[in-house]
Amino acid sequence: MQKLLSRPLSNPPKHSFSYFFSYSVSKTTYDPPFSPISKPPKPKPKPPDPTPNRNPTPMKSSLPFDFRHSYSEADPTLEPIGFREPKRFSPFGPGRLDREWTGTSAPVRDEVDSCLVEEERIQVLGDPLTEEEIEELVEKYRHSDCARQINLGKNGVTHNMLDDIHNHWKRAEAVRIKCLGVPTLDMDNVCFHLEEKSGGKIIYRHINILILYRGRNYDPQNRPVIPLMLWKPYAPIYPKLVKNVADGLTFEETKEMRNRGLHSPALMKLTRNGVYVNVVARVREAFETEEVIRLDCTHVGTSDCKRIGVKLRVYFLFPVNVGLGSLRTYFVQG
């Protein structure tokens, strides 16, 4: 018995633990407990349309006035003597408007019935506001932290500003307009174009702050179609503002008058993008005792200096001399 136990086995076991583990893995699918989840394949992007619509349908607008870049700062009766870009380059984009661009404006094609336009405007405005309603709207929109505000700069009442006004009118009864720069010389002109072009009504005016009311019967769903200008067109070339010899004066008299204007004390000092509401009254008062008046425009740009001269010349109907070298403007009473 002892010999049998001490004798080694002739046939040792062939199968071990590793053999059974490898056999079970090979026969069954091995799935670890934290296997990554396979993501679905991304859809392939659609190929672009080989034939895009290169000729869009022109946009039609029922607004009864000629489209211009600026309505308050442009004089439609003054014809330019040249253009800085071809007339075929419309700022509305090629083929986007059913009106033809003439270089300064896009005129209305159909005849406009002014009586019908005024009746529609009165119908949208509805009954006049009471004093209590006006006070409530003014108190709501006159403060500087009002969210419904549009800034009016040196370009005045522009075409794209009309679209901004109607966008504010979608969610608000009125919009606050803050005016700065050259247009503040003639606030009556600004108010006129805002009411005429937008169809609203000015219910509050204080220095350079305006509140434009949309009307009782205004419907945002039936707002007018306003095609936007894609870029600002180049300003046309107009006749020279300052003549070498003023009308009604000789060359020597004109030279003497200019020297007197350059050496006279400045009546006012204007700043860039300032509020010029009281300039006209100050100039009118000074002309009662003085013949030559100088305005110090040292901090005003050259283009704004010319605009101020044009506005005051039209307002007072007298010759204007602008010294662009020193950026000083002086006005000679005719």
Side-chain angles (χ1 to χ4, degrees):
M1 179 64 66
Q2 186 176 3
K3 291 181 180 181
L4 290 174
L5 293 174
S6 61
R7 189 176 60 182
L9 296 175
S10 59
N11 296 323
K14 297 181 180 180
H15 302 291
S16 61
F17 176 79
S18 60
Y19 172 80
F20 285 103
F21 181 78
S22 62
Y23 180 80
S24 63
V25 169
S26 61
K27 292 298 182 181
T28 60
T29 303
Y30 176 67
D31 188 11
F34 299 102
S35 58
I37 301 174
S38 60
K39 297 181 180 180
K42 295 183 179 180
K44 295 182 179 180
K46 296 182 180 180
D49 189 5
T51 58
N53 187 12
R54 297 185 178 181
N55 296 321
T57 304
M59 187 179 299
K60 296 183 180 180
S61 178
S62 59
L63 293 176
F65 52 83
D66 300 345
F67 292 163
R68 295 178 177 273
H69 173 256
S70 177
Y71 296 106
S72 61
E73 305 305 303
D75 187 3
T77 61
L78 186 61
E79 293 294 333
I81 60 177
F83 297 94
R84 292 184 172 88
E85 63 180 355
K87 298 180 181 180
R88 65 178 183 274
F89 294 151
S90 173
F92 296 95
R96 295 184 67 251
L97 187 64
D98 64 338
R99 302 185 185 186
E100 183 180 358
W101 180 254
T102 62
T104 57
S105 64
V108 183
R109 288 191 171 186
D110 303 331
E111 296 182 1
V112 179
D113 188 356
S114 58
C115 297
L116 181 60
V117 172
E118 186 63 23
E119 290 178 1
E120 292 179 354
R121 179 173 178 269
I122 294 175
Q123 184 179 2
V124 172
L125 289 177
D127 298 334
L129 296 173
T130 62
E131 294 183 0
E132 292 77 9
E133 292 174 336
I134 292 178
E135 291 179 359
E136 182 181 355
L137 288 174
V138 169
E139 183 62 27
K140 184 178 179 180
Y141 293 101
R142 73 180 178 88
H143 299 285
S144 58
D145 58 349
C146 176
R148 304 297 175 185
Q149 175 175 309
I150 296 177
N151 295 325
L152 187 146
K154 66 178 182 179
N155 292 324
V157 182
T158 59
H159 179 77
N160 289 355
M161 185 183 295
L162 303 179
D163 185 70
D164 296 337
I165 292 173
H166 284 279
N167 289 337
H168 281 289
W169 280 350
K170 285 182 180 180
R171 301 173 180 85
E173 293 181 284
V175 59
R176 182 179 189 263
I177 300 177
K178 183 179 180 181
C179 307
L180 294 173
V182 181
T184 57
L185 277 171
D186 192 358
M187 290 297 295
D188 293 336
N189 182 43
V190 173
C191 295
F192 169 76
H193 284 287
L194 283 174
E195 291 184 345
E196 183 189 26
K197 301 303 186 295
S198 66
K201 183 176 180 59
I202 301 291
I203 61 174
Y204 177 79
R205 173 179 170 180
H206 178 67
I207 307 178
N208 64 324
I209 302 299
L210 306 173
I211 294 180
L212 186 62
Y213 176 62
R214 67 181 185 179
R216 292 185 184 272
N217 303 325
Y218 179 82
D219 185 9
Q221 302 298 329
N222 297 328
R223 56 171 288 181
V225 178
I226 303 177
L228 297 178
M229 283 190 175
L230 303 183
W231 64 83
K232 178 182 176 180
Y234 285 102
I237 302 173
Y238 289 99
K240 190 177 180 181
L241 173 63
V242 181
K243 297 181 180 180
N244 294 330
V245 180
D247 297 336
L249 299 176
T250 62
F251 177 78
E252 296 297 333
E253 294 174 342
T254 303
K255 185 177 179 180
E256 179 186 358
M257 195 72 72
R258 288 176 177 170
N259 291 333
R260 287 176 55 190
L262 287 173
H263 294 89
S264 62
L267 176 65
M268 298 178 64
K269 184 175 182 179
L270 305 182
T271 58
R272 182 179 179 86
N273 289 334
V275 180
Y276 311 141
V277 176
N278 60 342
V279 172
V280 174
R282 293 281 301 275
V283 171
R284 182 187 290 109
E285 182 182 356
F287 270 139
E288 296 178 358
T289 56
E290 300 290 339
E291 187 180 9
V292 181
I293 295 175
R294 181 172 69 91
L295 300 180
D296 188 357
C297 301
T298 306
H299 302 285
V300 180
T302 305
S303 61
D304 291 352
C305 190
K306 292 181 179 180
R307 292 169 188 244
I308 293 172
V310 171
K311 279 185 172 292
L312 289 178
R313 181 181 65 177
V314 174
Y315 203 91
F316 289 98
L317 298 178
F318 55 70
V320 178
N321 295 299
V322 182
L324 298 179
S326 58
L327 290 181
R328 289 182 292 183
T329 308
Y330 53 97
F331 304 92
V332 182
Q333 185 178 16

